[in-house]
Amino acid sequence: MNKRSLLCLLLFLFSIPLFAQQSATPPRTVQDKIVLSDGWALQSSCKIDHKGEVLSTPQFHPQSWYSVSVPTTVFAALVKKKVYPDPGFVMNLRSAAGVTYPIGANFSNLPMQPDSPYMVPWWYRKEFVIPASYKGKNIWLNFHGINYRANIWLNGKRLASSEDVAGAWRTYEFNITDAAKLG
């Protein structure tokens, strides 16, 4: 029976490789590597009644989530899924929810608009199989750029909170050996 590990992130992320090695320190050279960039599900936290300890288990089945690949921001993913038209064309950006600030204003200096779907965090969820050959090895989850904060869950266990993981395109490494399920 295959056991799947479930990774849930709250907010934005870049690319995520998973490494297995004999050493207890994060890898600098890769022995075994699984790239986790495809097959993600994305959804706004305001549309979900569950918390990370539930979302990151095999029992949870995402319904009506967006299928995405990373690296991506929420807005870029929604444009790719045609929720919003191409923001680089004419005045399309102005049709996106939350983009009601005055034209020409520096939106980063203004409070977020109340109709913005980005007033709340968004979940990224990924289900994957860790090979049985990783048994006896330390398993590392490496993030090559989280933007801006994240709560990270694996198999019902919180690995990090948004207090620990914060910053523009910061990299993080987590030893997930104890939380991982080999399959």
Side-chain angles (χ1 to χ4, degrees):
M1 178 173 148
N2 281 344
K3 292 183 180 175
R4 296 184 187 273
S5 290
L6 291 161
L7 176 65
C8 283
L9 305 176
L10 193 58
L11 286 184
F12 308 108
L13 55 107
F14 193 64
S15 64
I16 305 165
L18 181 72
F19 299 99
Q21 67 172 39
Q22 297 297 339
S23 163
T25 59
R28 300 296 164 229
T29 59
V30 178
Q31 293 176 355
D32 295 317
K33 177 180 175 180
I34 301 171
V35 177
L36 303 176
S37 57
D38 295 324
W40 286 84
L42 172 70
Q43 188 54 266
S44 170
S45 64
C46 72
K47 295 186 178 184
I48 302 167
D49 293 331
H50 303 289
K51 297 191 185 287
E53 57 267 2
V54 173
L55 294 175
S56 65
T57 64
Q59 292 75 30
F60 180 80
H61 299 287
Q63 302 293 323
S64 301
W65 286 43
Y66 299 99
S67 174
V68 301
S69 294
V70 296
T72 192
T73 63
V74 171
F75 185 72
L78 295 177
V79 168
K80 189 172 185 178
K81 293 296 177 183
K82 307 232 183 281
V83 173
Y84 301 118
D86 178 357
F89 185 72
V90 191
M91 296 290 287
N92 283 350
L93 180 60
R94 302 301 292 179
S95 69
V99 186
T100 54
Y101 51 84
I103 293 176
N106 182 346
F107 72 90
S108 64
N109 293 329
L110 299 172
M112 191 173 291
Q113 299 295 307
D115 66 334
S116 174
Y118 314 109
M119 287 284 290
V120 299
W122 285 64
W123 284 102
Y124 287 79
R125 185 179 190 275
K126 168 78 176 167
E127 190 170 332
F128 58 98
V129 176
I130 299 174
S133 63
Y134 281 27
K135 184 177 177 140
K137 298 179 181 178
N138 286 292
I139 304 170
W140 289 89
L141 184 61
N142 293 0
F143 294 90
H144 287 224
I146 292 180
N147 185 34
Y148 183 81
R149 291 189 180 275
N151 291 298
I152 302 171
W153 296 82
L154 180 65
N155 296 326
K157 179 180 178 185
R158 186 163 69 175
L159 301 177
S161 77
S162 61
E163 302 301 315
D164 306 315
V165 178
W169 303 109
R170 296 269 318 271
T171 60
Y172 294 90
E173 300 172 320
F174 297 97
N175 186 329
I176 63 166
T177 306
D178 294 336
K181 295 180 182 177
L182 305 181

